[in-house]
Amino acid sequence: MPPTKVLMLVCDGMADRPLKDKGNRTPLEAAKTPNMDALAAAGATGIMDPIGPGIRPGSDTSHLALLGYDPYKVYTGRGPFEAAGVGLKLNPGDIAFRGNWATVDAKGKVLDRRAGRIKEGTQALAKELDGVEIDGVKFILKAATEHRTVLVLRGKGLTCSVTDTDPHKENLVAGCKAIDNTPAGKRTCKVLNEFTKMSMKLLKDHPVNQKRIADGKPPANIVLVRGAGMTPEMPPLAKAWGFDPVAIVGVALIRGICTLAGMEVPVVKGATGGVDTDMMAKARAAIKALGRHDLVFMNIKAPDIGGHDGDFDLKQSSIERIDEAVGYIKDNISSDVGLIITADHSTPVPVKNHAADPVPLLMFGDGVRTDNVKAFNEKAVAHGGLGRLRGKDLMPIMQDWVDKAEKFGA
Amino acid sequence: MPPTKVLMLVCDGMADRPLKDKGNRTPLEAAKTPNMDALAAAGATGIMDPIGPGIRPGSDTSHLALLGYDPYKVYTGRGPFEAAGVGLKLNPGDIAFRGNWATVDAKGKVLDRRAGRIKEGTQALAKELDGVEIDGVKFILKAATEHRTVLVLRGKGLTCSVTDTDPHKENLVAGCKAIDNTPAGKRTCKVLNEFTKMSMKLLKDHPVNQKRIADGKPPANIVLVRGAGMTPEMPPLAKAWGFDPVAIVGVALIRGICTLAGMEVPVVKGATGGVDTDMMAKARAAIKALGRHDLVFMNIKAPDIGGHDGDFDLKQSSIERIDEAVGYIKDNISSDVGLIITADHSTPVPVKNHAADPVPLLMFGDGVRTDNVKAFNEKAVAHGGLGRLRGKDLMPIMQDWVDKAEKFGA
């Protein structure tokens, strides 16, 4: 019988390129992955371009594609997904940014882009600015982890076609410009620059900053923002594809994407979105969630971090820990579950950034046409029976697999 | 020398999924297919998504794609292809339905959707209604096999965005509704519901029904219709692709598609469109047709029927009979013929319906780049040299193969 449920595991940034001084192996090839290899041997494999061949995906755009959305239609910037990821309720049309508490001099020249990586008192600082209105635009500010914030502009006649107020370098002055010369661009810049000045005014003598200065720490006396995006109208995944989905994800950006897709995103204790995340806790949560949901979407961020750091060994060990979690999943899923393992993009160690190399793809479960591939790594699965697919193909393939698909025609 | 002619054989619904209790084999894997295996070994193979990955194709939409049409542009419903398949001459813009003779009570409640599977007298019944006009709309009704009919509405201001008048279940009342709230929707519904009432009035005391009632059989006292579609403007295949084509097909729906594609569709004695079809007669007809045409398109419906019935053995034996016909073709085609064997969709035995799994594809003939694949089945050809293609790719590939393609550029 075809499966009735799907568990989809995205190993963030797992795919890589072969490294000469590692015997021409990728981290996934070098890693001991007996569980994923066994699933590959018993399943079907292939490679996948998350967006398209040669298109270097962001984690956000790739996840949008994997969840069945067209990133070229719904994605204008990272802000809305970060904002949703820290729990802000957004409306379509809201302009959202991610931001930092930072330190500037009296003229707005940036001295420290992270205000000494401030940890304490940011909730109190956010309270000063959250809810202010400028020219009919409401500013919603939320403190996130450490020096991070999210900022939402809600009002009429706004656009996300504005530059960051964050100059991205110290010793430059904060402030944004309109990217196109439209009335909305001018208006958005004007109110955002006013908000930025207001943040300097209201934070300057705040007790939290008075204490920081007394302690010899840089004050958090400005909010710098970047990654403007307009909150898209996204039909809920449940409605679009007929699944009852849940997301087991730690990292805020992906939590935000899943939230905007209308998915339940429970907090899993120990799931940090970092290399220290409790992968077994996530695996247990995923298996448990299969009792109540027919689509469990998992993201494990760790391998991406090793890629960005250019740390082959860290990436390899992250993958080996994922394989242990996969072992738990393999031993605990029932036969009515189809399992998909893939990645959202390559983060090659020699590149230290995302790259467009296709990612490995594995389908295991009833009805899958097995192929001759016996191991789960970039080179082996490139000979797999699934051939070369795209990220946007996954949702329809899953929908067809569990027999929820409607026929096009008769 | 490149081939100058192509014979394309579509084995309807042949592709499948591996079944556990059949040794994890598909019907095609289980079937003895020495001829198709020999062609695979001597040719090139691959897999093909008839519409796209994960898109579950109808036979109609898939055949449109295989014949070089974009089903998303030309397909609105099955009706026009069924109508063309029984020999009705359609104009672009005609709204066509397939339908049934059925039995209703005086209030229009359906008692038997097939009027006791009526066989005799349906031509006389159709004569009562064929050609009636309501509010400027001409109704063209044709009796098809047994309880089946086709109905065409010809007139201005009509749409196919109406529901079926067939309630699809007994004890419900016949009648259609507009799907969108447009003037055309309202108008189409109004005249169609009036026609339905008229069918009740004119059929009620018809001598055919008087005799049926006297014989204790349910009268055919209403026409129920379904599958509204607007007849598309389809450029003839000959003009679009430069072939002089002929179709050797039995089943009405595919005959209709080929007819609307402007193809000659001769009647082959013994070709029934059922499992009992005379496959060798079709093979002989195809070989003969290659004397006068440079594109012979064949469809053999039988494997699809085993799939829909969930009957592995029936499907396997249908495929084995196809292989015998392929043997005849193999032994009788000249070296200037390129041969393509594929399917229009998967109809997996465990699904009992079409599914989106890709179909096997085989090209045999001069100029083909052979690959390492030695057998013709879903799993073997997934490792083939043609990779993973789409249905719409076939016509250009064939056109190029026979050296009819024009260069794009210089």
Side-chain angles (χ1 to χ4, degrees):
Chain A
M1 290 299 296
T4 59
K5 301 172 180 188
V6 178
L7 170 54
M8 180 174 166
L9 168 59
V10 173
C11 309
D12 207 298
M14 178 170 64
D16 213 299
R17 296 177 182 176
L19 252 83
K20 268 193 189 139
D21 57 1
K22 296 286 182 179
N24 269 321
R25 292 175 308 169
T26 68
L28 180 56
E29 276 186 290
K32 285 193 186 73
T33 54
N35 293 304
M36 293 198 282
D37 291 344
L39 291 168
T45 63
I47 54 175
M48 183 172 75
D49 297 291
I51 311 289
I55 310 300
R56 188 172 277 204
S59 280
D60 38 21
T61 52
S62 171
H63 274 82
L64 285 168
L66 297 179
L67 295 174
Y69 298 94
D70 181 348
Y72 289 106
K73 282 187 186 155
V74 302
Y75 187 78
T76 52
R78 181 167 173 160
F81 305 106
E82 289 284 353
V86 299
L88 276 185
K89 290 232 180 257
L90 299 178
N91 298 336
D94 284 352
I95 309 297
F97 299 81
R98 54 187 183 137
N100 282 357
W101 303 107
T103 310
V104 287
D105 68 12
K107 287 182 176 168
K109 198 170 78 174
V110 176
L111 304 176
D112 183 337
R113 282 187 62 245
R114 296 180 189 86
R117 293 191 177 270
I118 183 171
K119 284 189 180 63
E120 283 90 30
T122 55
Q123 305 287 348
L125 292 172
K127 222 173 169 181
E128 287 300 315
L129 291 159
D130 185 32
V132 304
E133 286 207 25
I134 300 169
D135 196 13
V137 177
K138 188 175 177 188
F139 286 76
I140 303 160
L141 181 71
K142 184 159 173 153
T145 54
E146 303 180 5
H147 56 279
R148 299 177 189 93
T149 68
V150 296
L151 176 69
V152 173
L153 277 61
R154 183 170 292 162
K156 285 181 182 164
L158 299 176
T159 175
C160 60
S161 288
V162 292
T163 64
D164 304 337
T165 63
D166 182 346
H168 292 271
K169 275 184 186 166
E170 265 89 42
N171 292 319
L172 295 176
V173 174
C176 83
K177 285 178 190 165
I179 291 172
D180 49 31
N181 209 13
T182 59
K186 286 177 194 165
R187 170 169 160 75
T188 308
C189 260
K190 185 169 162 281
V191 294
L192 181 56
N193 283 332
E194 274 184 42
F195 174 83
T196 306
K197 274 182 202 155
M198 187 185 282
S199 76
M200 288 172 65
K201 196 173 151 195
L202 293 178
L203 298 175
K204 190 168 166 278
D205 299 319
H206 192 282
V208 168
N209 280 331
Q210 286 180 344
K211 184 168 185 304
R212 287 185 69 80
I213 292 164
D215 293 347
K217 291 177 181 168
N221 58 8
I222 196 171
V223 177
L224 298 179
V225 297
R226 62 192 194 277
M230 183 173 281
T231 308
E233 195 111 45
M234 283 167 62
L237 189 149
K239 198 174 167 195
W241 299 99
F243 282 104
D244 174 9
V246 65
I248 309 291
V249 302
V251 67
L253 177 64
I254 312 302
R255 292 181 68 85
I257 288 169
C258 294
T259 303
L260 284 176
M263 299 166 81
E264 210 179 291
V265 192
V267 172
V268 176
K269 214 183 146 187
T272 62
V275 283
D276 61 341
T277 200
D278 187 345
M279 296 185 194
M280 287 304 288
K282 290 178 91 162
R284 283 191 299 270
I287 291 294
K288 205 175 155 197
L290 283 167
R292 291 181 300 112
H293 297 271
D294 59 8
L295 173 60
V296 177
F297 177 82
M298 277 181 90
N299 170 287
I300 298 183
K301 176 75 175 166
D304 185 49
I305 298 167
H308 279 286
D309 290 352
D311 186 336
F312 190 101
D313 297 341
L314 176 64
K315 190 164 178 180
Q316 178 181 339
S317 65
S318 295
I319 294 168
E320 287 174 349
R321 286 175 53 224
I322 290 180
D323 192 69
E324 288 169 29
V326 168
Y328 177 85
I329 290 169
K330 182 166 75 77
D331 294 342
N332 287 280
I333 46 170
S334 49
S335 63
D336 65 338
V337 178
L339 177 60
I340 288 179
I341 303 179
T342 187
D344 57 344
H345 51 76
S346 298
T347 311
V349 166
V351 180
K352 293 188 184 180
N353 196 353
H354 301 187
D357 312 61
V359 299
L361 174 64
L362 156 61
M363 290 176 74
F364 168 82
D366 201 276
V368 159
R369 296 177 184 158
T370 52
D371 57 28
N372 299 333
V373 173
K374 303 294 175 208
F376 188 65
N377 62 61
E378 297 88 343
K379 294 177 201 163
V381 302
H383 298 285
L386 297 175
R388 185 167 186 159
L389 293 166
R390 298 200 181 194
K392 67 173 182 177
D393 297 328
L394 268 195
M395 283 302 303
I397 286 172
M398 285 159 53
Q399 197 190 32
D400 181 69
W401 198 11
V402 299
D403 204 15
K404 281 183 195 286
E406 291 208 9
K407 224 184 316 195
F408 170 44
Chain B
M1 291 297 293
T4 59
K5 302 173 179 188
V6 178
L7 170 54
M8 179 175 167
L9 167 60
V10 173
C11 308
D12 208 297
M14 177 171 65
D16 214 296
R17 297 178 181 176
L19 251 84
K20 269 193 189 138
D21 58 1
K22 296 287 183 176
N24 271 321
R25 292 176 307 170
T26 67
L28 180 56
E29 275 186 290
K32 286 193 187 74
T33 54
N35 294 305
M36 294 197 282
D37 291 345
L39 291 169
T45 63
I47 53 177
M48 183 172 75
D49 297 291
I51 311 288
I55 309 300
R56 188 172 278 204
S59 280
D60 39 21
T61 53
S62 172
H63 274 81
L64 285 168
L66 297 178
L67 295 174
Y69 298 93
D70 180 349
Y72 289 105
K73 283 189 185 150
V74 303
Y75 186 79
T76 52
R78 179 165 174 161
F81 306 104
E82 289 283 354
V86 299
L88 276 184
K89 291 237 181 249
L90 299 179
N91 298 337
D94 284 353
I95 309 297
F97 300 80
R98 54 188 183 136
N100 281 359
W101 303 106
T103 309
V104 287
D105 68 13
K107 286 179 176 168
K109 198 169 78 174
V110 175
L111 303 176
D112 183 336
R113 283 186 62 243
R114 296 180 189 85
R117 293 189 177 270
I118 182 171
K119 283 187 181 67
E120 285 87 31
T122 56
Q123 306 287 346
L125 292 171
K127 219 171 171 183
E128 286 300 315
L129 291 159
D130 185 33
V132 305
E133 286 207 25
I134 301 170
D135 197 13
V137 178
K138 187 175 178 188
F139 287 77
I140 302 160
L141 181 72
K142 181 156 178 157
T145 53
E146 301 180 6
H147 55 278
R148 299 177 190 92
T149 68
V150 294
L151 177 68
V152 173
L153 278 61
R154 182 169 293 161
K156 284 182 183 163
L158 299 176
T159 175
C160 59
S161 287
V162 293
T163 64
D164 304 338
T165 64
D166 183 346
H168 292 271
K169 274 182 189 168
E170 264 88 44
N171 291 318
L172 295 175
V173 174
C176 84
K177 284 179 189 164
I179 291 173
D180 50 30
N181 211 13
T182 58
K186 286 177 193 165
R187 171 169 160 75
T188 309
C189 259
K190 185 166 163 283
V191 296
L192 181 56
N193 283 333
E194 274 183 44
F195 173 84
T196 306
K197 273 183 202 153
M198 188 185 281
S199 76
M200 288 171 66
K201 196 172 151 196
L202 293 178
L203 298 174
K204 189 167 166 280
D205 299 318
H206 191 281
V208 168
N209 280 330
Q210 286 181 343
K211 183 166 187 307
R212 287 184 71 79
I213 291 163
D215 292 346
K217 290 177 184 170
N221 58 9
I222 195 170
V223 176
L224 299 179
V225 297
R226 62 192 194 279
M230 183 174 280
T231 308
E233 195 111 44
M234 284 166 62
L237 189 149
K239 199 177 167 190
W241 300 99
F243 282 103
D244 173 10
V246 65
I248 309 291
V249 302
V251 67
L253 177 65
I254 311 302
R255 293 180 68 85
I257 288 169
C258 294
T259 303
L260 284 176
M263 299 166 81
E264 208 178 292
V265 192
V267 172
V268 176
K269 213 183 150 188
T272 62
V275 283
D276 60 342
T277 199
D278 187 344
M279 295 184 194
M280 288 304 288
K282 290 176 91 161
R284 284 191 299 270
I287 291 295
K288 204 174 155 196
L290 282 166
R292 290 181 300 113
H293 297 272
D294 59 8
L295 173 59
V296 177
F297 177 81
M298 277 182 89
N299 169 288
I300 298 183
K301 176 77 176 166
D304 186 49
I305 298 167
H308 279 286
D309 289 353
D311 187 336
F312 189 101
D313 297 341
L314 176 63
K315 191 164 177 180
Q316 178 182 337
S317 66
S318 295
I319 293 168
E320 288 174 348
R321 285 175 54 224
I322 289 180
D323 193 69
E324 288 168 29
V326 168
Y328 176 84
I329 290 169
K330 183 164 74 76
D331 295 342
N332 288 280
I333 47 171
S334 50
S335 63
D336 64 340
V337 178
L339 177 60
I340 288 178
I341 303 178
T342 188
D344 57 344
H345 51 76
S346 298
T347 310
V349 166
V351 180
K352 292 187 185 178
N353 196 353
H354 303 185
D357 310 63
V359 299
L361 174 64
L362 155 62
M363 289 176 75
F364 167 82
D366 200 275
V368 159
R369 297 179 188 156
T370 52
D371 57 27
N372 299 332
V373 173
K374 303 293 175 210
F376 189 64
N377 63 62
E378 297 88 344
K379 295 177 199 164
V381 301
H383 298 286
L386 297 176
R388 186 166 185 161
L389 295 167
R390 297 202 179 193
K392 67 173 181 179
D393 297 328
L394 268 194
M395 283 301 304
I397 287 172
M398 284 158 53
Q399 196 190 34
D400 181 67
W401 198 12
V402 297
D403 205 15
K404 282 182 195 288
E406 293 209 10
K407 223 182 322 192
F408 170 48

